[in-house]
Amino acid sequence: MKPVNHLSRRSFIQKSSIAAGALMLGNTIAALAAGKKMGIALVGLGGYSRGQLAPALLQTKNCYLAGLVTGTPAKAEEWSKKYNIPQKNIYNYQNFDEIAKNPDIDIVYIVLPVSMHKEFTIRAAKAGKHVICEKPMALNAAECREMIAECKKAKRLLSIGYRLHFEPHTQEVMRLGQKKILGKVTKLDTGNGFTYGGDPNAWRLKKALSGGGALMDMGIYSIQGSRYTLGEEPIAVKATQEKTKPELFKEVDETIFWELKFPGGAKVTGKSSYNNNWGYLHVTTEKGNFELDPAFGYGGLDGKVNGKPMDIPNINQQAAQMDDFATCVTLNKQSRVPGEEGLKDMKVVDAIYRSLDSGKWENI
Ligand code: NAD
């Protein structure tokens, strides 16, 4: 056999990789053209699944609600009728791993209390499914690292339910801040919270299930907001807290205030609360200012640039988020909000809790 010389081998490799690429692209185009929608199974049919994700899955173009995982048989029955889900696509927390054998399910979406995120993300990846996990990603950064590693090992994509990255007002704030359209950001102040009036025995108030209080649940948006506006990673944090209802917030934080140090030198302050209705992001730059208020919800965002309305339409954030991930799965492409993005926020959360304990600046 004639040995392949350097040039012809290179051209062979080029030609064959073009051919392989074309084949992959061909398969993808074929899948998209055939209108194959990715099947999503929701794990945990609580408030967010019921109120937002399931309705959004009726509006998505690239994915649909294909399966359910619930510990409550009555919910399984109600949902299967409402969303036309066959019995064979319904699991509970014990038999969940059998989902591995179900070709209808491509993506598993974890919508459970935070303490269950790691276990179900890893079980889903081991069952061969791609994963979306709700925020906050896990109880702490160490758990996030484990989840990322296990999904990599299983060669499955992992994404965090950071819906705002698909939202146009937020995308405008990212553009203004990261591209320094009004000059460098000099000051950023953000807060997120609500006045907790719910069940005093709910998982959100139990540290073992939630990992913490308003910081984990609401503050995570303000941390994200600071990071995506600046396009930088924070270096250090100093935090203080306030508790006016110790009988209700026995185990978890109520209100936390923090200051973050970023490499670019912007003065960044943030706060989270279960006792104040906050939801804003105010940014001052060298040449002006911009803001979002509301900044983090899904009931409609609003923003201003130098005092003038942004005039940007609102969209169904969850539908956009899930459609994007379905496309990522089709193209075998990392999501713009992968596990690593959840980890970055959890590193800040961990450092805020350390700072509350030490009373000092903590490195992130
Ligand atoms: P929820 O309390 O309404 O629902 C939680 C679900 O988990 C329920 O169906 C419950 O039955 C089930 N569950 C299983 N084991 C449980 C246990 N041991 N204790 C308590 N419940 C248990 O909560 P939710 O508001 O739907 O929140 C679920 C997840 O979604 C959380 O991670 C939360 O932060 C996230 N979330 C995200 C958004 C967003 O905008 N991205 C909004 C709301 C909630």
Side-chain angles (χ1 to χ4, degrees):
M1 200 170 62
K2 203 174 148 206
V4 182
N5 73 27
H6 183 65
L7 201 66
S8 63
R9 192 175 70 189
R10 191 168 68 194
S11 98
F12 170 75
I13 290 168
Q14 273 173 356
K15 277 187 187 141
S16 49
S17 59
I18 290 167
L23 189 66
M24 252 179 70
L25 192 65
N27 288 345
T28 304
I29 291 167
L32 292 173
K36 186 189 176 311
K37 288 185 168 193
M38 294 285 153
I40 295 194
L42 292 175
V43 187
L45 308 180
Y48 193 52
S49 285
R50 180 184 291 273
Q52 308 305 321
L53 298 176
L57 281 162
L58 297 173
Q59 292 185 32
T60 42
K61 295 183 186 73
N62 310 330
C63 53
Y64 72 106
L65 182 59
L68 306 170
V69 184
T70 174
T72 315
K75 278 192 204 167
E77 199 184 321
E78 177 208 335
W79 281 61
S80 77
K81 280 196 198 119
K82 186 166 177 191
Y83 291 102
N84 199 19
I85 310 291
Q87 204 54 43
K88 70 176 177 67
N89 290 2
I90 301 177
Y91 300 86
N92 57 43
Y93 302 123
Q94 286 71 42
N95 69 14
F96 170 70
D97 311 272
E98 288 171 23
I99 208 164
K101 292 180 251 155
N102 192 329
D104 293 354
I105 314 294
D106 304 287
I107 296 164
V108 164
Y109 196 151
I110 320 286
V111 204
L112 290 166
V114 186
S115 62
M116 300 168 82
H117 289 186
K118 181 183 98 171
E119 177 191 338
F120 278 86
T121 293
I122 295 175
R123 281 170 75 180
K126 284 190 169 160
K129 306 301 175 188
H130 301 281
V131 185
I132 309 175
C133 176
E134 255 315 316
K135 48 57 61 177
M137 181 171 169
L139 293 176
N140 50 53
E143 284 199 347
C144 298
R145 289 194 183 91
E146 224 181 303
M147 291 156 77
I148 293 166
E150 290 293 334
C151 288
K152 285 222 164 92
K153 212 195 292 173
K155 296 195 169 57
R156 298 295 89 181
L157 294 172
L158 170 61
S159 177
I160 307 304
Y162 286 144
R163 51 184 165 72
L164 289 167
H165 283 248
F166 308 90
E167 195 285 324
H169 296 82
T170 308
Q171 288 169 340
E172 176 62 358
V173 154
M174 290 175 183
R175 188 185 73 88
L176 292 169
Q178 294 178 19
K179 300 213 160 116
K180 304 185 173 57
I181 304 292
L182 302 176
K184 228 174 103 165
V185 172
T186 52
K187 212 171 119 195
L188 185 156
D189 180 45
T190 170
N192 199 28
F194 68 97
T195 307
Y196 189 93
D199 177 2
N201 296 311
W203 67 263
R204 278 187 165 79
L205 304 190
K206 297 207 159 62
K207 190 165 192 304
L209 291 167
S210 61
L215 176 64
M216 299 276 289
D217 193 16
M218 306 302 286
I220 200 113
Y221 289 94
S222 284
I223 294 168
Q224 264 269 309
S226 312
R227 291 182 45 247
Y228 60 60
T229 304
L230 291 164
E232 294 174 14
E233 293 309 321
I235 311 159
V237 68
K238 171 111 170 40
T240 55
Q241 68 176 322
E242 177 184 283
K243 212 173 254 196
T244 59
K245 294 179 181 162
E247 66 296 342
L248 185 59
F249 305 110
K250 277 197 282 282
E251 298 184 23
V252 299
D253 49 278
E254 178 189 306
T255 302
I256 295 182
F257 306 89
W258 66 84
E259 189 179 337
L260 280 168
K261 250 186 215 146
F262 279 83
K267 185 174 166 50
V268 177
T269 48
K271 55 193 182 189
S272 58
S273 186
Y274 271 159
N275 201 31
N276 289 280
N277 299 320
W278 295 323
Y280 70 90
L281 179 77
H282 295 165
V283 185
T284 310
T285 69
E286 290 167 323
K287 290 192 251 165
N289 60 73
F290 56 93
E291 64 168 61
L292 289 183
D293 192 350
F296 305 116
Y298 40 75
L301 267 56
D302 208 356
K304 288 191 188 121
V305 181
N306 286 335
K308 295 205 183 80
M310 276 185 184
D311 207 12
I312 293 174
N314 279 288
I315 60 160
N316 186 315
Q317 300 173 20
Q318 290 85 1
Q321 173 212 327
M322 291 186 281
D323 265 344
D324 184 84
F325 189 60
T327 303
C328 287
V329 169
T330 307
L331 300 176
N332 191 26
K333 180 184 117 184
Q334 170 111 301
S335 155
R336 78 185 75 159
V337 282
E340 285 79 356
E341 190 63 24
L343 168 64
K344 284 175 184 162
D345 288 330
M346 283 312 299
K347 282 167 65 178
V348 181
V349 167
D350 286 357
I352 289 177
Y353 285 131
R354 285 203 304 278
S355 174
L356 290 179
D357 285 344
S358 71
K360 295 186 185 142
W361 281 92
E362 291 287 338
N363 289 333
I364 294 164

